[in-house]
Amino acid sequence: MATVSDFVVQRVKEWGVSRIFAFPGDGIGEFDGALEKAQRDGAGLKYVRPTHEEICSLMATAHAKFTGEVGVCVATSSPGAFHMLNGLYDAQMDNQPVVAIVGQQGLNSLGTFTQQENNLERVFADVSVYVQTIVSPEQSQAVVDTAFRTATVRLGPAVIIIPHDVQGMKMPDLTPQNWVSRSSAVSPSISIVPPASEIVKAAGIINAGTKVTFIVGHGANGATDEVLKAADLCGAGLITALRAKQVIPSDVPHHSQQLGLLGSLPSAHQMSGCDTLVFLGTNYPYSQFLPKSGQARAIQVDLKPEQMGLRYPTELNLWGDVRATLTALIPHLEAKTDLSWQNTVAEEMLEWENEMEAQAMLTYKDGVNPRRVYQELNKRLPPQAIVTADAGSTADWYGHHIRLRRGMLGDLSGRLASMLAAMPYATAAKFAYPERSVICTIGDGAFQMLGMNELITIKKYLQEWENPQLIILVLHNNDLTQVSWEMRTEDANPVWPTSQDVQSIDYAGWAELLGFTGIRVKTDSEVAGAWDAAFAHQGVTIIDAYTSKNVPPLPPHITTEFAKHTAEALLKKDPDEIGVLRDSAKALAAEGIERIKGKLHLGQDREEKQH
């Protein structure tokens, strides 16, 4: 007779799952045994074991992001369960369906302070859309089905806790009886369309606008054609959230990429000039970059009703799937003949791209220009490529220089902004799409956290991938660069080497130690050749790029506060003062546009304060 663990393994398969990211332990031991038995019988799940439970949950979240499927991770009781929290918060904050299965000590131990017995339901209560302990075999079917159903509909992580003794209990056939639910492994549809009257109302608002802008988020995945059709009809400019670069192809001329600190000047101009704003599947969090209240009429389309109307006072909130909602909306949109707003966005975007090219071609005394590394990568991205980034300074360069064409994918940890995600995301992408080229871009700080050890996971599974090409770019500047700039620009504090310095490691040598190809890049002239060599190699390549830490991640619009805080930080004896002054001035001059010349005045402010 099958056990509860046997049943759960097969039920997970019935939910369409073929791969899990897991790490073993005694608290989940019976379930691990069932996984092994099913795999031996040819009816199991693909078991991927990275080097840490946190990576399991980050990979499950990445799997959900890249495939649209439910990601599944498995770990033992409290030690392993606790480690998975960061990846589950990534799923929660980026609205991704994930199911975590975790072990627990035996039923009789609950509440008795036994070793590794903790109140896991309380631990996971904040992060999960559903959390439940299976306390009897008869309950297991309903708990598993409810976890998958809830994760799918509510777009977040669900947690199933299975005590060790319950894992091995016999699974009976379920018959009609009181308190026993008999459930189904049928996924609910989330193709929700708002009422027709609301669709007509939305069309009326959009049709009345003369300067319409769409802000497109990751929730619009799968709706590329519908978004483009709607934008063409109403002459809209397009802005994508950082996690939605893949939704709108970069060659759409009126797509001005991102908004805010990592965004473009054309996007900032859209926000200051639009009269109609449509949010499509995004909970864009930085409201300071959105229009002034009352400037624009606004509509939001989303599957998360609790996140609608939060960042800007919307006139109409449509609870619905972006693709299905736009399909219903498009017949009601009037084709505009005046496309001057859209054309202006396209013209400004050409200027912005020239500006980014100029920034990338600058040279710096203390290392390679990180912008050039990304600019040269962008020129060489093969069709169907997948690009990941961490949430450090790599996110700046990813936003400013990477242009994903149709069919390409790219992602990073969004609202959690985790530096840890780039490598787990890249590895998960390789499992999901083994035929594609995957490029991970990561800073040296993040690489030391959850990057170097994941090369071991890659070595373990490399032979299973149809296309073994996986390239890891490490920005090697021995500094937590993003945090250093945040200290200066947000809090007017100088960089503190005690907290910011990163121990220099021979990352290319570490790759070579594992049998991979390592390429060291120490001058700008070596950048292009390094990418050519990496893309010519059918295997794993680590590009160890010794980059400058003083290249300023300049926002498209430099505020007085940004300049003031930076100047104050340097006056407090920032150890990198000279390099920051020199390189910031160089970056500003390269833009060659009067909009920001003289805005920073770093040296001038210093002289005035000294006198």
Side-chain angles (χ1 to χ4, degrees), residues 545-559:
Y546 290 71
T547 53
S548 169
K549 63 182 177 180
N550 293 321
V551 178
L554 293 174
H557 173 68
I558 296 179
T559 64

Side-chain angles (χ1 to χ4, degrees), residues 353-603:
E353 296 291 45
N354 290 335
E355 199 168 300
M356 290 299 95
E357 177 77 23
Q359 288 280 358
M361 296 311 294
L362 294 173
T363 57
Y364 295 94
K365 290 186 177 180
D366 66 326
V368 174
N369 184 346
R371 288 181 176 273
R372 183 174 300 191
V373 180
Y374 278 75
Q375 190 79 5
E376 294 294 341
L377 164 61
N378 188 63
K379 293 177 183 178
R380 292 163 173 78
L381 286 176
Q384 306 293 306
I386 303 174
V387 185
T388 69
D390 68 49
S393 61
T394 63
D396 292 274
W397 319 134
Y398 173 82
H400 283 167
H401 295 279
I402 296 300
R403 301 292 180 255
L404 299 178
R405 302 186 298 278
R406 188 182 280 267
M408 294 181 179
L409 297 174
D411 220 322
L412 70 167
S413 177
R415 286 201 295 143
L416 183 64
S418 172
M419 289 179 62
L420 309 175
M423 277 291 283
Y425 274 34
T427 312
K430 199 65 181 174
F431 278 110
Y433 302 102
E435 75 283 3
R436 297 194 186 194
S437 295
V438 175
I439 303 95
C440 170
T441 67
I442 189 169
D444 49 5
F447 194 62
Q448 289 188 16
M449 289 183 194
L450 287 186
M452 295 178 72
N453 51 348
E454 272 313 278
L455 287 183
I456 300 171
T457 303
I458 292 169
K459 183 176 179 63
K460 179 179 180 180
Y461 292 101
L462 180 62
Q463 73 281 359
E464 299 182 11
W465 297 331
E466 175 185 335
N467 173 8
Q469 186 170 88
L470 197 159
I471 304 170
I472 299 102
L473 163 68
V474 181
L475 298 188
H476 186 166
N477 59 21
N478 307 324
D479 182 71
L480 298 178
T481 314
Q482 186 77 355
V483 182
S484 295
W485 279 99
E486 288 170 347
M487 290 177 72
R488 296 181 182 115
T489 62
E490 294 181 9
D491 302 312
N493 284 322
V495 167
W496 186 28
T498 302
S499 71
Q500 296 306 107
D501 283 357
V502 175
Q503 177 62 44
S504 184
I505 300 292
D506 182 2
Y507 302 112
W510 171 241
E512 291 163 350
L513 181 66
L514 291 171
F516 301 143
T517 297
I519 301 175
R520 297 165 183 83
V521 175
K522 296 187 176 181
T523 66
D524 293 279
S525 61
E526 296 173 318
V527 172
W531 283 119
D532 288 338
F535 281 114
H537 176 53
Q538 288 302 301
V540 179
T541 304
I542 282 72
I543 296 179
D544 187 357
Y546 290 71
T547 53
S548 169
K549 63 182 177 180
N550 293 321
V551 178
L554 293 174
H557 173 68
I558 296 179
T559 64
T560 302
E561 181 182 50
F562 181 99
K564 179 175 179 290
H565 284 177
T566 306
E568 288 178 0
L570 298 181
L571 286 170
K572 295 174 183 176
K573 298 184 178 180
D574 189 301
D576 299 318
E577 175 188 11
I578 300 301
V580 170
L581 285 170
R582 178 190 64 237
D583 297 340
S584 295
K586 183 179 291 188
L588 287 169
E591 291 180 344
I593 296 176
E594 293 301 324
R595 65 179 178 85
I596 63 169
K597 274 189 175 179
K599 277 277 190 178
L600 217 46
H601 287 314
L602 297 180

